[in-house]
C-alpha cells in the first residue's frame, strides 16, 4: 500500500502546484480518511485557506496507510465532512467562491456519507464512523 499512497501524495502535490500556478488566489485545504475501524474516519489537517504549495505538500505528506485490506472505507463520509462539516470539521469555504473537491481513494466507498462520528470529536479528527446503514 505504501507505493500507492506515495503515488497519490505525488499526484495531489502536483495537482495543487499546477492549479495554483494557473489560478491566482486559490485557497486549499487538506484532509485524510481511513477505514471505519482505524483510529479516525476523517481528519482535517488544514482547513481551507491561502497556503503555499510547500505547506500543502507538508500536510499531504502526513498521509499514511494503516492496517488495510479491509472495508468499508470512510471516503464518502470524509467528502461529506469537507462539503458540509461544522465545528471542528468545518472546511472554511469562502462565500461566493467556486468550490471544488478532489477525492483520492485506494478502495471502493462503502461507508454511508451520513455516518456520524461517535462520540463527538475533541480535535480536528473524527473517531470511527458508525457502522449504521443510511
Amino acid at each position: 500500500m505504501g507505493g500507492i499512497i506515495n503515488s497519490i501524495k505525488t499526484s495531489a502535490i502536483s495537482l495543487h502546484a499546477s492549479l495554483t500556478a494557473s489560478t491566482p488566489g486559490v485557497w486549499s485545504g487538506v484532509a485524510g480518511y481511513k477505514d471505519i475501524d482505524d483510529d479516525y474516519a476523517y481528519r482535517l489537517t488544514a482547513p481551507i485557506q491561502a497556503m503555499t504549495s510547500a505547506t500543502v505538500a507538508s500536510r499531504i505528506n502526513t498521509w499514511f496507510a494503516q492496517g488495510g485490506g479491509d472495508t468499508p472505507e470512510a471516503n464518502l463520509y470524509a467528502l461529506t465532512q469537507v462539503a458540509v462539516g461544522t465545528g471542528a470539521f468545518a472546511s472554511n469555504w469562502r462565500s461566493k467562491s467556486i468550490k471544488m473537491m478532489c477525492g483520492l481513494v485506494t478502495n471502493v466507498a462503502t461507508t454511508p456519507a451520513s455516518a456520524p462520528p461517535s462520540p463527538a470529536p475533541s480535535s480536528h479528527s473524527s473517531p470511527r464512523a458508525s457502522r449504521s446503514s443510511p
Side-chain angles (χ1 to χ4, degrees), residues 36 110-112 114-116 129-134:
I36 283 184
T110 54
T111 300
S114 60
S130 168
R131 288 184 182 260
S132 63
S133 58

Side-chain angles (χ1 to χ4, degrees), residues 3 6 11 17-19 27-28 34-36 43-44 46 51 58 64 70 77 85 91 98 108 113:
N6 287 334
S11 295
S18 295
L19 184 61
W27 280 21
S28 305
K34 300 251 182 229
D35 298 335
I36 283 184
R43 178 175 287 164
L44 179 64
M51 287 190 282
S58 73
F64 63 94
D70 56 339
Y77 174 71
S91 294
I98 297 172
V108 296

Side-chain angles (χ1 to χ4, degrees), residues 3 7 38-39 63 79 81 84 91 116 129:
S7 178
D38 287 336
D39 293 341
W63 297 345
L79 288 173
Q81 293 307 310
V84 297
S91 294

Side-chain angles (χ1 to χ4, degrees), residues 57-80:
S58 73
R59 299 301 175 104
I60 288 172
N61 281 323
T62 66
W63 297 345
F64 63 94
Q66 177 182 6
D70 56 339
T71 56
E73 301 245 335
N75 42 16
L76 290 179
Y77 174 71
L79 288 173
T80 301

Side-chain angles (χ1 to χ4, degrees), residues 15 23 52 62 79-80 95 101:
L15 175 65
T23 312
T52 65
T62 66
L79 288 173
T80 301
S95 64
M101 293 187 294

Side-chain angles (χ1 to χ4, degrees), residues 117-133:
S118 175
S122 59
S123 67
H124 285 324
S125 62
S126 74
R128 298 175 200 144
S130 168
R131 288 184 182 260
S132 63
S133 58

Side-chain angles (χ1 to χ4, degrees), residues 71-108:
T71 56
E73 301 245 335
N75 42 16
L76 290 179
Y77 174 71
L79 288 173
T80 301
Q81 293 307 310
V82 170
V84 297
T86 59
F89 302 131
S91 294
N92 198 27
W93 293 104
R94 290 184 292 176
S95 64
K96 300 183 182 180
S97 64
I98 297 172
K99 295 158 181 70
M100 179 174 47
M101 293 187 294
C102 178
L104 306 170
V105 301
T106 61
N107 202 337
V108 296

